[in-house]
Amino acid sequence: MPDPTNSLLERLTKAPLVSDARRAKAQLADFVRRIRDEPEAEALAGALDGGLFRDLLLALADHSPFLWQLVVNDPARIAGLALAPPEEAHRAIVEKQSGLFREVRSGAMTRNDAVRAFRQNRNAHALLVALADIGGLWSTEQVTQALSDFADASVTGGVNLVLTEAADLGRIRLANPDSPGEGSGFTVLALGKHGAGELNYSSDIDLVIFFDPDATALKDPSEAATVYTRIAQQLAKLLQERTADGYVHRVDYRLRPDPGSTPTAMSLSSAYVYYETVGQNWERAAFIKARPVAGDLALGETFLKELRPFIWRKYFDFASIADVHAMKRQIHAVRGHDEIAVAGHDIKLGRGGIREIEFFVQTQQLVFGGRRPALRGRRTLDMLKALHDEGWITDRARDELSDAYRFLRTIEHRLQMVADEQTQRLPADEDALKRFARFCGYPTTKAFATALTDQAKIVQGHYALLFEEGPELASDAGSLVFTGTGDDPETLATLQRLGFREPERVAETVRGWHFGRRPAIQSARAREVLTELTPALLSALGGTAEPDGALAALDRAFGRMPAAVELLTILQSHDRLRLLFADLLGTAPRLADTVAQSPHVLDALIDPAFGTPAVDEATVESQVRQLIGPPRDFEDFLDRVRDAARQMRFVTGARLLSGVVSPAQAGEAYAAIARAVIRASFDAVRRAFEAEHGTVPGARIAILGLGRLGSRELTAGSDLDLVVIYDFDENARESTGARSLDAVVYFTRLTQRLVSALTVPTRRGLLYDVDLRLRPQGGKGPVASQFKGFVAYQTGEADLWEHMALTRARVIAGDDAFGAEVSESIRGILAARRDPKKVFEDVRSMRELIAQEKGDADPWDLKLARGGLTDLDFIAQALVLAHAHAHPSLIGCPTEAAFAQAQAEGLLDREAGRSLIEAHKLLNDIFQWQRLTIEGRFDAESVPQPILKRLATVAGLPNATVLLSHLAEQYRRVGDVYREVMG
């Protein structure tokens, strides 16, 4: 028989204050009338006439709909709890919960009955703990231990039930059906407050599940992951599914390794690999509290023993210490005396809250626990004492933080008792806050607020001391914490303040980096730098026009990089580079990709020469050759020339992005870089080729650049249009080397070697795409043309379009004297007398053919749209070919210069010339930006808005809609002139 003098009823010491006494008394009166008809509850009647038990029930009726419902739904239950010692009632409920599987196994209970009993036991236990807590019978430690004990029983009972069912279905074999977990190869670890034995009133339970794929319980080891994952899922469903009787526990499996990409149950071998390679310090902190609670307990203990070196470092690991400190400094620590707004305050995550006390303890455990075994305990209060005993904190810190922890945990339990919700946030409404203060035993909101803020300031004071070893990493906008698996509310708010529209996705992306989902940042050093850099990097990304898109671009870049530590270190060291790189990610993904491939290209941006660009060909060639340096051999040259070109093109793009050069100057710079690369490559190829095959007597060679390379309007994405012309002594038949070649074959092979040097992908990537189709006879002709054959073809066989291409031809490499001859011959070809009417007719026909083959309806395709760059180029080329005989000054002019010269010669009227020059400048500028920002087709539907906005800014217009309208007007004006010129 229970001892009535030791019953809960007799041991009550306090009760909360009531706010709405009339309503509470009315509800209690209804309850009293009910128990008169309940024989099992009749013994309570006397205790409800007055005294602490009556006051306690009044408070539940007034403040907690959840608890009051548990009271009135089952008067016999409340009577049984009130009239027994709470410790005995607790033990009885726990034993029932853990043993339910036996009832099902014996046939005494159906599974549905068990599901209901699981929930009824939980309701009874929740009511018991609330009565013992609110009534002053149990300390904070006793309350949290009782809640943890019950969670243990629930998980144990649930695991045993689902293991038994799996065995009945033939999926596993049980070594001991009376204790299904033994030898099952399936172990459940509790982490967090559950693992520590300090669970809160309405908490999730954090579980991780591992299995041994070689366990003898398995009939087919190859199905281990499937079988054990299904068992884990059934366990979660059993515990958290809501029925008419409520639920048992909400289950959180997200503390397992990388929960976004791993199954619910994970093999031990996979877990070991994860923790040894990419396990994070916050996961070490989580495993401080880890404890096997169900399933194969021996397997769980062995796992934790094996994991001990990961959790507890044998020596003071200074890199880990720095990482822990960085974790702390990402949290916006308040060192001053900022007021805490009590209404709506989060007592766990807010300033001076529970998290700060836990972090205070766990970070010091991580740093020092490897050498001090006494600091390896699970419970926060125990470890505050141990930290003091080991000499790491003062007795004042121990006592004040312990008192604050008990106070805050008590408030946390009251919050959760109101409606059985996992909340730590105080009511924001003034009346609700006043009511809650009375539930906590305070007569007024002011008294409650004073008590809370006093404790919070004490916590803040001790917590802030942890931040003295380095500058704060938190953004000025607030905390930026990405440890754990859940979203930190303050971090999400900070991300919104920084400008991110989808903070949850941002947080998940950053957590994914720390989980090692990107191989580039799996190394310990990369993740250490990333921890330090993340707040500053997010601040920089937040300053771009599209922060979410910029972050997504960075994530993609990490996905393509073999290793990111170099890039992260550079960004950590230079604020200016960080801001520019963020801008690249948001508006120039092509340049960001270059950085991902070669982070060292960023070095050039902090060179003083960045702001004083040179676009003349001689200076650029000197810079390219200096970057190439002296190669060890030809293979080394190929790598070096790619590095040099990548850096020079990147710097040009960055200068355009930064406004250091105009789009036209960028075109000249890109063309100068390509010319320098071709010249250096030809020199290297020629030397190697001559060493192998000798020379052809009288050999002379010239390399022509056509298209945008010829007109010095190259873009970031242009390929190279080349034509190779050669000559040699008429009497020569073959080369002079040890491996001699036929003279014609010699120049063919030499040209092929040059093209290969420019196009072959090496470990350093690609250099250029080369197009030789503008040579005589196009793709059908030889890759290199003998000089006299070239002239004969151009003067006798070439179509007009081939002469159009020659209007932009210039010699860019080879033998200087021969190049001058070739240039003069081309001038002669272009200056030939032609019938203007026939020229314009042929140009129109060619334009129509292009429109049929490639289309002309996309207004964002600045080349092919009617009235676009193709029409402008064709007008200029037609004017040259039709009138160069009489007006040779037109020869060799790029497009805008050709319009100006044609106007000066009276071939265009002033208005037409001005319209064409303005249109070409605008379209060419925007085209340069398109090619800088986007690789491939420019699809306005998928292009990020910041890029469209930047294009509008280039045109001096407010937005893309206005720009599109302006483009239409330019196309119309060019079309009018086109029709006028072409007849």
Side-chain angles (χ1 to χ4, degrees):
M1 288 288 292
D3 179 3
T5 62
N6 195 33
S7 68
L8 184 148
L9 189 64
E10 295 296 326
R11 288 164 55 189
L12 291 174
T13 62
K14 59 183 180 181
L17 302 173
V18 174
S19 292
D20 188 343
R22 178 180 297 179
R23 175 172 158 274
K25 287 177 180 178
Q27 289 181 294
L28 183 60
D30 288 342
F31 177 68
V32 170
R33 283 192 290 272
R34 275 199 59 188
I35 65 172
R36 289 183 183 139
D37 300 324
E38 299 265 358
E40 294 179 4
E42 199 173 358
L44 279 183
L48 297 178
D49 293 335
L52 281 176
F53 187 66
R54 177 178 183 276
D55 294 343
L56 180 56
L57 289 190
L58 284 171
L60 297 187
D62 188 33
H63 297 296
S64 174
F66 166 66
L67 291 172
W68 185 245
Q69 204 61 43
L70 292 181
V71 170
V72 300
N73 279 356
D74 191 345
R77 177 171 56 201
I78 181 70
L81 296 176
L83 297 173
E87 295 78 14
E88 290 185 14
H90 165 69
R91 280 193 296 272
I93 296 171
V94 166
E95 287 174 6
K96 284 182 188 176
Q97 191 77 340
S98 62
L100 283 172
F101 83 98
R102 294 190 183 91
E103 301 291 315
V104 176
R105 185 164 159 264
S106 69
M109 180 181 286
T110 66
R111 191 186 196 279
N112 288 340
D113 290 338
V115 168
R116 186 179 184 196
F118 266 111
R119 283 148 181 77
Q120 289 175 336
N121 288 339
R122 190 267 170 170
N123 291 337
H125 195 264
L127 184 55
L128 169 67
V129 172
L131 294 172
D133 185 3
I134 299 172
L137 280 74
W138 285 352
S139 66
T140 302
E141 292 93 315
Q142 288 174 297
V143 169
T144 57
Q145 185 63 62
L147 291 166
S148 303
D149 290 344
F150 181 76
D152 286 359
S154 297
V155 177
T156 298
V159 166
N160 287 339
L161 180 58
V162 294
L163 285 175
T164 300
E165 291 173 337
D168 290 342
L169 292 172
R171 291 175 182 149
I172 60 173
R173 292 184 292 261
L174 298 181
N176 181 1
D178 290 328
S179 182
E182 289 180 15
S184 64
F186 177 91
T187 188
V188 182
L189 305 185
L191 278 71
K193 289 185 171 66
H194 181 194
E198 50 190 21
L199 199 61
N200 59 44
Y201 187 77
S202 186
S203 175
D204 292 357
I205 52 174
D206 293 307
L207 304 178
V208 288
I209 294 179
F210 301 111
F211 64 84
D212 178 3
D214 299 322
T216 57
L218 289 167
K219 291 189 174 180
D220 183 354
S222 67
E223 295 185 356
T226 302
V227 170
Y228 288 129
T229 295
R230 185 179 295 130
I231 290 171
Q233 292 167 345
Q234 288 170 341
L235 172 65
K237 181 180 180 182
L238 174 65
L239 295 181
Q240 65 187 13
E241 188 173 49
R242 289 185 178 270
T243 70
D245 297 292
Y247 69 105
V248 189
H249 300 283
R250 291 176 296 269
V251 177
D252 192 338
Y253 285 142
R254 291 177 299 163
L255 288 182
R256 70 184 186 273
D258 193 4
S261 58
T262 56
T264 311
M266 193 174 197
S267 73
L268 291 172
S269 55
S270 297
Y272 287 131
V273 170
Y274 172 84
Y275 290 119
E276 287 173 3
T277 55
V278 296
Q280 300 167 61
N281 277 311
W282 72 262
E283 289 174 300
R284 290 174 59 206
F287 269 93
I288 289 174
K289 298 178 181 292
R291 179 171 57 91
V293 294
D296 195 333
L297 298 179
L299 184 67
E301 293 288 359
T302 301
F303 173 75
L304 288 181
K305 184 178 179 181
E306 294 291 329
L307 206 63
R308 197 174 295 158
F310 165 71
I311 307 169
W312 306 112
R313 303 291 164 83
K314 184 175 181 182
Y315 303 104
F316 287 167
D317 181 347
F318 289 102
S320 292
I321 292 172
D323 189 44
V324 171
H325 287 173
M327 287 162 54
K328 293 184 300 186
R329 290 183 286 124
Q330 286 179 357
I331 302 169
H332 193 69
V334 179
R335 297 176 175 84
H337 300 287
D338 292 22
E339 289 298 317
I340 294 174
V342 174
H345 179 69
D346 191 315
I347 61 166
K348 177 183 178 182
L349 302 179
R351 295 173 179 174
I354 296 167
R355 180 182 64 176
E356 294 187 0
I357 302 174
E358 293 173 336
F359 211 95
F360 180 93
V361 172
Q362 289 170 17
T363 51
Q364 295 184 82
Q365 285 183 274
L366 281 184
V367 173
F368 307 122
R371 295 288 295 274
R372 303 291 181 89
L375 297 179
R376 298 180 187 178
R378 299 185 179 103
R379 294 173 69 94
T380 302
L381 291 172
D382 292 345
M383 288 301 98
L384 281 169
K385 181 178 183 300
L387 284 169
H388 168 264
D389 294 344
E390 291 285 323
W392 295 111
I393 65 173
T394 65
D395 52 359
R396 179 181 175 188
R398 174 199 62 198
D399 295 341
E400 289 185 344
L401 288 174
S402 296
D403 290 344
Y405 183 76
R406 293 185 180 98
F407 172 86
L408 292 169
R409 291 301 307 273
T410 300
I411 301 302
E412 178 185 41
H413 291 164
R414 292 295 183 281
L415 279 170
Q416 296 175 353
M417 286 174 186
V418 172
D420 191 27
E421 294 174 340
Q422 188 189 16
T423 180
Q424 286 88 13
R425 190 170 293 280
L426 295 171
D429 176 75
E430 186 176 339
D431 288 339
L433 182 61
K434 181 179 179 181
R435 288 173 54 82
F436 180 72
R438 294 182 69 81
F439 189 31
C440 294
Y442 294 90
T444 64
T445 303
K446 182 179 180 181
F448 173 67
T450 300
L452 178 68
T453 53
D454 285 350
Q455 293 295 339
K457 286 178 180 177
I458 289 171
V459 174
Q460 282 182 347
H462 292 292
Y463 183 64
L465 293 176
L466 292 177
F467 293 79
E468 291 184 342
E469 73 288 326
E472 189 173 295
L473 291 180
S475 163
D476 290 339
S479 298
L480 287 168
V481 182
F482 300 98
T483 57
T485 56
D487 292 331
D488 170 45
E490 174 57 26
T491 294
L492 297 182
T494 300
L495 290 170
Q496 281 192 309
R497 288 191 287 269
L498 287 174
F500 292 94
R501 288 180 288 105
E502 297 183 86
E504 292 85 358
R505 178 173 292 183
V506 174
E508 176 60 23
T509 298
V510 176
R511 278 198 300 272
W513 297 343
H514 286 288
F515 279 128
R517 292 180 195 162
R518 299 301 189 193
I521 39 183
Q522 283 184 351
S523 73
R525 176 59 182 158
R527 287 182 291 118
E528 177 187 329
V529 177
L530 182 65
T531 302
E532 286 271 344
L533 176 63
T534 296
L537 186 58
L538 289 173
S539 295
L541 295 173
T544 64
E546 178 67 21
D548 297 83
L551 180 80
L554 177 59
D555 186 46
R556 289 193 298 273
F558 282 154
R560 288 189 293 270
M561 297 173 71
V565 67
E566 181 184 5
L567 171 62
L568 295 172
T569 304
I570 292 171
L571 296 177
Q572 183 186 29
S573 304
H574 299 284
D575 293 349
R576 179 164 161 256
L577 288 186
R578 200 159 52 239
L579 294 171
L580 181 56
F581 182 56
D583 197 18
L584 298 184
L585 291 166
T587 54
R590 177 192 287 272
L591 294 183
D593 287 346
T594 300
V595 176
Q597 294 173 30
S598 304
H600 65 84
V601 298
L602 288 170
D603 294 342
L605 307 190
I606 54 177
D607 190 312
F610 179 77
T612 55
V615 297
D616 66 281
E617 293 180 335
T619 303
V620 170
E621 182 172 351
S622 173
Q623 292 172 345
V624 168
R625 289 185 182 272
Q626 185 176 358
L627 286 171
I628 294 172
R632 294 186 305 275
D633 51 35
F634 188 69
E635 295 300 320
D636 186 40
F637 168 81
L638 294 179
D639 285 340
R640 286 170 176 253
V641 74
R642 279 153 179 74
D643 286 342
R646 181 181 296 115
Q647 178 160 328
M648 292 291 290
R649 287 186 292 186
F650 172 80
V651 171
T652 299
R655 283 172 171 157
L656 177 57
L657 189 70
S658 304
V660 175
V661 297
S662 67
Q665 289 174 314
E668 293 176 31
Y670 284 128
I673 294 165
R675 175 183 178 272
V677 165
I678 293 167
R679 290 167 68 85
S681 298
F682 180 64
D683 289 348
V685 166
R686 194 176 200 176
R687 278 194 302 271
F689 196 78
E690 289 178 353
E692 187 177 353
H693 300 291
T695 60
V696 174
R700 301 184 299 166
I701 194 163
I703 300 168
L704 298 181
L706 293 86
R708 284 184 164 267
L709 173 60
S711 62
R712 297 181 177 86
E713 298 171 319
L714 213 61
T715 71
S718 296
D719 56 10
L720 306 181
D721 291 306
L722 301 180
V723 170
V724 178
I725 301 173
Y726 64 89
D727 203 7
F728 56 91
D729 288 349
E730 289 185 4
N731 296 325
R733 291 289 179 267
E734 59 183 26
S735 64
T736 60
R739 299 178 59 191
S740 62
L741 294 171
D742 174 84
V744 173
V745 173
Y746 181 94
F747 290 104
T748 298
R749 296 268 184 88
L750 179 59
T751 300
Q752 291 169 335
R753 289 274 186 96
L754 172 62
V755 172
S756 177
L758 294 172
T759 59
V760 66
T762 75
R763 59 180 180 168
R764 302 297 175 85
L766 297 169
L767 191 52
Y768 287 103
D769 287 327
V770 172
D771 191 341
L772 298 177
R773 289 175 297 174
L774 293 180
R775 68 187 187 270
Q777 299 178 349
K780 298 177 182 178
V783 294
S785 302
Q786 193 168 1
F787 182 36
K788 61 183 179 182
F790 173 80
V791 173
Y793 177 83
Q794 293 291 350
T795 55
E797 299 180 48
D799 292 326
L800 184 75
W801 70 263
E802 294 175 279
H803 289 169
M804 292 170 68
L806 282 184
T807 64
R808 298 202 288 184
R810 64 187 177 105
V811 176
I812 57 175
D815 300 305
D816 292 343
F818 182 57
E821 283 185 50
V822 172
S823 296
E824 192 58 33
S825 296
I826 291 173
R827 287 185 64 84
I829 294 166
L830 296 177
R833 184 185 297 277
R834 296 177 179 83
D835 177 5
K837 183 177 180 180
K838 181 71 165 62
V839 168
F840 295 142
E841 181 181 321
D842 288 350
V843 171
R844 285 200 315 271
S845 297
M846 184 176 172
R847 179 67 181 95
E848 293 308 316
L849 181 62
I850 291 174
Q852 289 173 20
E853 291 183 351
K854 298 184 177 181
D856 60 2
D858 182 0
W860 289 106
D861 190 333
L862 304 185
K863 284 183 68 175
L864 296 178
R866 287 287 182 176
L869 288 169
T870 296
D871 284 8
L872 287 161
D873 289 340
F874 277 20
I875 293 171
Q877 291 161 17
L879 288 170
V880 171
L881 296 178
H883 301 294
H885 178 75
H887 303 281
S889 59
L890 291 170
I891 298 173
C893 291
T895 304
E896 288 177 34
F899 294 145
Q901 192 62 35
Q903 184 179 314
E905 301 281 358
L907 303 174
L908 284 174
D909 64 47
R910 182 183 299 273
E911 181 62 26
R914 185 176 64 81
S915 294
L916 294 178
I917 291 170
E918 287 181 359
H920 187 272
K921 183 179 186 312
L922 173 70
L923 297 180
N924 196 56
D925 285 359
I926 297 174
F927 186 63
Q928 278 286 358
W929 275 92
Q930 282 185 332
R931 291 304 177 91
L932 174 70
T933 55
I934 296 296
E935 224 167 329
R937 178 174 173 268
F938 190 91
D939 180 6
E941 294 297 320
S942 61
V943 167
Q945 285 300 313
I947 292 178
L948 294 176
K949 174 67 175 175
R950 183 66 71 102
L951 297 185
T953 303
V954 168
L957 299 171
N959 55 53
T961 303
V962 177
L963 171 60
L964 203 56
S965 175
H966 188 61
L967 288 175
E969 175 60 19
Q970 293 297 325
Y971 293 151
R972 184 191 63 75
R973 292 169 64 185
V974 171
D976 290 345
V977 177
Y978 180 90
R979 286 185 290 275
E980 180 183 337
V981 170
M982 299 294 181

